[in-house]
């Protein structure tokens, strides 16, 4: 063995994870290492470049950075870098620069992979074992996305332009012209007036925009002396200064608005506009929603399908997390429903009685992805008379369901749609449904509960949906027997793990080398989270929000809630990336993941996440077994 190789071998003997390898392996490794020299200040790895070797520092010092330029780590002799890119997609995830003149050993990718596959201690060292690895994988995604770390207050470029509520519409228009703004915040002029308002907006009474002046003053021909309070929007959305840009984006999406007041302790400190969000929201989901409401018929709505797919792919490519993707796609789906209902009422005429159109399942939870069917229902006013009213609502339901199918939201195979008269009922019938399901938890009623208990109103009397959620939580929480049955029902779908944590594949021919990551991953997670959320009285819909309520209620062993959150995020992101890759390859996206198409890091971390799910199901069985129905 040459002197240089002996020096390398001595180095390997002294530093983890190499010192734990067999002697013959170290000898072979020392003969296959390449050596590079980098002067101080030299860029060693650039973000996004291809990486083909594990880098090990022989001497000198190297700084590793996050993609946004923040220092991530400073390494010296024995430190390794470049491993995360090798484990993921062979692209540099953490750039590296020589802090000092540095000598670096390069272990080629093929040898790195062989060490990773054959030596557990080596694999554990380079990727961090079990929950710590999973936690780091999730946190890296969060750290990588600017939308999740930028606060709303950073978007404010000027102090708000305000006007007292006693002012006239003309005074509002003059002030807007003088200040060159497209909106004014209308404020209470006396603290006592504000105090009488049960509003989270505090001193803020409303907002007036150019559109308000055009549509509510000029078009109707009102006098310029009309009080500004008569043309302002008073039931307005707002956001707190410390919330994230992503949350502001969602608020605009939900309410289909272009101006959002920013508050600090109830006082307005600024207004952010659509243009401000666009600088941060590069995925253009706001544009998709805006486009939906500008289409005039079903054919035009159908034509937006490629834009929806492109929005989904852009969000994935920009490292959006699962909550961001699920929320945006759900809001897009809700917008399709809302526009179809507008078109239906334009064609059929105004409804004979009030109603509420419901979203169910993943759309209600804001966890919808690109592969989805339609689950919906109708709550009708208690004055509903089938003979007089059902012809209208049957036609309305058909118009919306057919339109959704045209737009890519396939018909529900289980017929959970408002076109089914069973799911087109007055409010008191829905109350009877839910009460009976809880009091008499048969297999059919449990299945209905798992579908309909995730409900949200998207059109009409949406407060009825909130009332039903309150009823569900109130009745379920005081029924241990129902919770026990729901818990057992939530255990019917298990993660695809066999002995020695190997993946269990589907047995049918078409997907024989894959597993359904929705049926075996995200769905059972949502099921068990739903049970715990009912037990603790949570009225939240989103699984992450429910998990936070569960953690706050302290009904899980310490740390288990955070583990569940990380498992849900990672499993969901594997599912999301799988669908995005299908779109990129012009394949029909689905939920069937082939392990061979995952990186080593993803396979191992996915097994960790599935193990967390398996353990959580065991705890679910333990916690509710004492309440087993007799």
């Amino acid at each position: 063995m040459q002197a240089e190789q002996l020096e390398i071998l001595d180095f390997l003997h002294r530093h983890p994870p190499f010192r734990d390898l067999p002697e013959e392996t170290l000898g072979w490794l020392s003969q296959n290492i390449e050596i590079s020299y980098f002067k101080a200040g030299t860029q060693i790895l650039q973000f996004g470049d291809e990486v083909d070797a594990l880098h090990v520092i022989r001497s000198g010092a190297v700084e590793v950075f996050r993609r946004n330029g923040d220092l991530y780590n400073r390494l010296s002799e024995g430190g390794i870098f470049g491993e995360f890119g090798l484990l993921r997609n062979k692209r540099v995830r953490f750039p590296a620069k020589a802090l000092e003149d540095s000598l670096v050993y390069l272990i080629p990718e093929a040898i790195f992979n062989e060490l990773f596959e054959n030596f557990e201690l080596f694999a554990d060292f380079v990727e961090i074992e079990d929950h710590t690895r999973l936690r780091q994988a999730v946190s890296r995604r969060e750290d990588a996305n600017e939308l999740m770390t930028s606060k709303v207050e950073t978007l404010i470029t000027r102090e708000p332009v305000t006007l007292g509520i006693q002012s006239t519409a003309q005074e509002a228009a003059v002030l807007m012209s003088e200040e060159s703004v497209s909106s004014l915040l209308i404020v209470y002029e006396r603290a006592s007036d504000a105090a009488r308002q049960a509003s989270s907006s505090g001193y803020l009474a409303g907002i007036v925009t150019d559109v308000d002046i055009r549509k509510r003053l000029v078009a109707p021909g009102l006098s310029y002396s009309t009080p500004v309070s008569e043309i302002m929007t008073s039931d307005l959305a707002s956001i707190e200064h410390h919330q994230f840009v992503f949350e502001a984006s969602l608020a605009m999406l939900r309410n289909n608005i272009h101006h959002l007041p920013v508050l600090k302790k109830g006082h307005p400190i600024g207004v952010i506009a659509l243009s401000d969000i666009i600088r941060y929201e590069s995925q253009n989901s706001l544009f998709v929603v805006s486009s939906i409401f500008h289409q005039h018929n079903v054919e035009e709505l159908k034509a937006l399908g490629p834009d929806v797919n492109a929005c989904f792919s852009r969000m994935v490519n920009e490292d959006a997390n699962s909550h961001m993707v699920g929320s945006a796609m759900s809001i897009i789906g809700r917008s399709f429903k809302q526009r179809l209902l507008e078109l239906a009422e334009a064609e059929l005429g105004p409804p004979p009685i009030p109603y509420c159109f419901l979203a169910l399942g993943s759309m209600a939870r804001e966890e919808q992805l690109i592969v989805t069917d339609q689950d919906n229902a109708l709550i009708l006013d208690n004055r509903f008379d089938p003979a007089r009213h059902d012809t209208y609502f049957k036609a309305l339901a058909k118009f919306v369901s057919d339109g959704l199918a045209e737009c890519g939201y396939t018909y529900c195979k289980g017929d959970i749609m408002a076109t089914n008269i069973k799911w087109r009922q007055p409010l008191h019938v829905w109350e009877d449904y839910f009460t009976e399901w809880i009091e008499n938890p048969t297999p059919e009623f449990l299945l209905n509960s798992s579908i309909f208990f995730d409900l949200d109103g998207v059109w009409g009397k949406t407060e009825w949906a909130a009332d039903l959620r309150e009823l569900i939580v109130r009745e379920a929480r005081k029924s241990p027997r129902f919770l026990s049955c729901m818990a057992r029902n939530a255990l019917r779908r298990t993660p695809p793990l066999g002995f020695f944590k190997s993946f269990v594949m589907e047995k049918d021919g078409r997907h024989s080398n894959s597993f359904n990551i929705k049926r075996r991953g995200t769905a059972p997670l949502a099921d068990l989270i739903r049970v715990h959320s009912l037990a603790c009285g949570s009225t939240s819909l989103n699984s992450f929000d429910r998990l936070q309520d569960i953690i706050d209620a302290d009904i899980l062993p310490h740390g288990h809630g955070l583990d569940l959150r990380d498992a849900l995020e990672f499993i969901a992101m594997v599912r999301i990336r799988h669908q995005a890759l299908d779109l990129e390859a012009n394949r029909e996206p689905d939920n069937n993941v082939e392990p061979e198409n995952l990186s080593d890091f993803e396979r191992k971390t996915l097994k960790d996440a599935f193990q967390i799910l398996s353990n959580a199901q065991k705890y679910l069985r333990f916690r509710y077994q004492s309440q087993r129905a007799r």
Side-chain angles (χ1 to χ4, degrees):
M1 187 176 288
Q2 298 179 1
E4 186 177 86
Q5 293 174 357
L6 288 172
E7 182 180 331
I8 294 174
L9 184 62
D10 176 68
F11 174 87
L12 296 175
H13 275 129
R14 291 187 285 109
H15 294 282
F18 312 104
R19 64 188 181 196
D20 297 315
L21 297 174
E23 191 65 32
E24 59 187 58
T25 302
L26 288 177
W28 165 73
L29 180 58
S30 67
Q31 297 176 46
N32 289 279
I33 279 180
E34 301 173 10
I35 305 174
S36 288
Y37 173 76
F38 299 94
K39 290 184 63 66
T42 303
Q43 190 74 36
I44 303 174
L45 295 177
Q46 187 74 42
F47 177 79
D49 286 353
E50 186 174 352
V51 59
D52 58 5
L54 177 69
H55 292 59
V56 187
I57 301 174
R58 173 65 181 87
S59 62
V62 172
E63 289 184 327
V64 181
F65 299 87
R66 298 186 188 277
R67 63 185 290 180
N68 64 3
D70 292 342
L71 181 65
Y72 175 69
N73 204 355
R74 184 172 287 124
L75 305 171
S76 56
E77 180 180 329
I80 65 172
F81 58 100
E83 73 279 12
F84 190 67
L86 290 172
L87 291 169
R88 268 292 300 275
N89 57 2
K90 308 303 184 288
R91 296 288 176 181
V92 174
R93 306 292 293 177
F94 291 81
K97 179 184 290 188
L99 181 63
E100 303 172 357
D101 291 352
S102 301
L103 196 65
V104 178
Y105 291 155
L106 306 179
I107 300 177
E109 176 191 348
I111 295 176
F112 170 84
N113 289 335
E114 190 164 342
L115 294 173
F116 182 88
E117 290 296 332
N118 294 318
F119 299 100
E120 189 75 18
L121 288 175
F122 179 88
D124 291 346
F125 183 89
V126 297
E127 63 173 359
I128 305 177
E129 183 57 15
D130 293 325
H131 302 175
T132 306
R133 175 175 60 241
L134 180 60
R135 182 71 40 80
Q136 188 176 63
V138 171
S139 65
R140 280 173 175 168
R141 292 198 62 81
E142 293 174 349
D143 290 342
N145 197 279
E146 190 174 353
L147 290 174
M148 287 300 294
T149 57
S150 297
K151 298 293 182 68
V152 168
E153 60 189 353
T154 63
L155 300 186
I156 298 174
T157 57
R158 61 175 294 174
E159 292 184 357
V161 181
T162 63
L163 188 68
I165 196 170
Q166 305 298 327
S167 305
T168 66
Q170 183 178 27
E171 289 173 321
V174 169
L175 182 58
M176 291 168 71
S177 297
E178 291 175 348
E179 296 290 339
S180 299
V181 294
S182 59
S183 65
L184 285 180
L185 295 183
I186 309 303
V187 296
Y188 293 110
E189 297 175 80
R190 294 176 301 185
S192 58
D193 293 334
R196 284 197 293 269
Q197 307 299 318
S199 169
S200 61
S201 300
Y203 293 95
L204 184 60
I207 189 170
V208 168
T209 67
D210 286 337
V211 174
D212 294 327
I213 292 176
R214 185 173 72 247
K215 288 187 174 182
R216 298 176 179 176
L217 182 76
V218 178
L222 299 182
S223 168
Y224 291 171
S225 61
T226 299
V228 72
S229 59
E230 293 186 15
I231 66 167
M232 73 181 185
T233 299
S234 56
D235 184 19
L236 75 170
S238 62
I239 195 164
E240 285 292 326
H241 70 105
H242 56 75
Q243 290 182 262
F244 296 111
V245 173
F246 166 59
E247 294 175 284
S249 174
L250 286 184
M252 286 189 173
L253 284 167
R254 287 193 188 99
N255 297 282
N256 192 29
I257 57 177
H258 291 179
H259 298 85
L260 192 65
V262 181
L263 308 181
K264 186 173 185 179
K265 296 182 178 179
H267 291 269
I269 62 170
V271 178
I272 56 174
L274 175 62
S275 57
D276 299 315
I277 296 291
I278 291 171
R279 287 189 286 120
Y280 286 82
E281 220 286 41
S282 61
Q283 293 81 27
N284 291 321
S285 50
L286 284 166
F287 287 134
V288 175
V289 169
S290 178
S291 296
I292 289 171
F293 288 102
H294 284 86
Q295 306 312 306
H296 300 93
N297 53 54
V298 174
E299 282 301 312
E300 291 181 2
L301 288 171
K302 180 181 178 180
L304 294 178
D307 293 337
V308 176
N309 290 346
C311 169
F312 177 81
S313 297
R314 281 194 296 269
M315 294 189 75
V316 177
N317 291 333
E318 290 293 325
D319 276 341
N321 65 25
S322 70
H323 184 37
M324 296 170 68
V325 175
S327 296
M329 298 309 295
S330 298
I331 291 168
I332 288 172
R334 290 165 64 100
S335 299
F336 274 114
K337 285 185 177 179
Q338 291 165 352
R339 184 55 181 151
L340 285 167
L341 284 159
E342 287 179 339
L343 294 174
E345 289 189 12
E347 180 174 306
L348 301 173
I353 57 173
Y355 72 94
C356 173
F357 200 90
L358 292 176
L360 306 171
S362 60
M363 182 182 289
R365 296 195 308 272
E366 295 197 341
E367 296 167 15
Q368 194 166 62
L369 301 185
I370 205 70
V371 180
T372 186
D373 58 5
Q374 50 175 293
D375 290 338
N376 54 66
L378 267 172
I379 306 174
L380 305 171
D381 188 271
N382 282 333
R383 293 170 293 172
F384 174 68
D385 178 353
R388 296 168 52 206
H389 304 138
D390 197 47
T391 299
Y392 179 93
F393 289 109
K394 181 179 180 180
L396 180 88
K398 186 177 188 304
F399 185 99
V400 175
S401 291
D402 289 349
L404 287 172
E406 287 290 317
C407 296
Y409 300 86
T410 58
Y411 295 112
C412 174
K413 295 182 177 64
D415 204 19
I416 308 297
M417 297 181 293
T419 50
N420 184 340
I421 191 170
K422 186 175 182 180
W423 312 128
R424 190 172 67 246
Q425 294 292 331
L427 178 60
H428 71 86
V429 173
W430 284 104
E431 293 170 341
D432 291 342
Y433 279 168
F434 291 169
T435 301
E436 183 181 9
W437 297 349
I438 293 171
E439 292 178 351
N440 183 29
T442 64
E444 178 187 355
F445 290 171
L446 288 170
L447 177 61
N448 290 342
S449 299
S450 66
I451 297 171
F452 286 91
F453 281 10
D454 296 342
L455 82 164
D456 195 25
V458 300
W459 187 261
K461 304 285 284 185
T462 55
E463 63 268 23
W464 289 347
D467 292 342
L468 286 178
R469 288 199 302 271
E470 292 283 353
L471 180 149
I472 291 166
V473 171
R474 183 175 64 252
E475 297 301 317
R477 194 177 188 185
K478 64 184 183 182
S479 178
R481 178 171 176 260
F482 173 75
L483 292 175
S484 177
C485 291
M486 283 289 284
R488 288 203 307 280
N489 205 51
L491 300 174
R492 299 179 64 181
R493 294 184 286 196
T494 58
L497 285 181
F499 292 110
F500 307 111
K501 291 176 69 174
S502 60
F503 290 119
V504 176
M505 305 298 185
E506 302 289 337
K507 294 184 179 179
D508 62 51
R510 182 183 175 193
H511 300 298
S512 57
N513 295 317
S514 67
F515 55 83
N516 189 303
I517 196 167
K518 176 184 178 182
R519 186 164 61 239
R520 307 294 296 275
T522 54
L525 269 168
D527 288 344
L528 74 88
I529 290 170
R530 183 187 303 109
V531 175
H532 287 311
S533 71
L534 289 171
C536 73
S538 169
T539 57
S540 297
L541 283 169
N542 179 262
S543 291
F544 289 103
D545 294 337
R546 286 174 169 174
L547 261 176
Q548 188 57 56
D549 291 341
I550 293 165
I551 293 170
D552 293 342
D554 199 26
I555 65 174
L556 296 178
H558 181 69
H560 285 210
L562 296 177
D563 288 342
L564 274 174
R565 182 199 65 189
D566 294 337
L568 177 60
E569 172 64 20
F570 193 83
I571 293 171
M573 281 312 307
V574 171
R575 180 186 173 201
I576 288 168
R577 286 196 297 268
H578 167 75
Q579 293 182 5
L581 288 172
D582 280 344
L583 287 174
E584 186 179 316
N586 293 317
R587 296 189 297 263
E588 186 71 24
D590 59 29
N591 291 306
N592 291 88
V593 172
E594 299 83 10
E596 65 184 28
N597 293 333
L598 301 175
S599 68
D600 294 333
F601 175 80
E602 286 176 316
R603 282 196 296 271
K604 191 159 188 177
T605 310
L606 191 57
K607 290 175 183 179
D608 293 340
F610 283 144
Q611 189 60 55
I612 289 172
L613 169 56
S614 180
N615 293 339
Q617 289 185 325
K618 293 174 184 176
Y619 179 76
L620 190 75
R621 182 184 295 109
F622 164 76
R623 178 175 175 83
Y624 299 99
Q625 66 180 350
S626 61
Q627 303 163 348
R628 185 170 299 163
R630 292 184 290 274

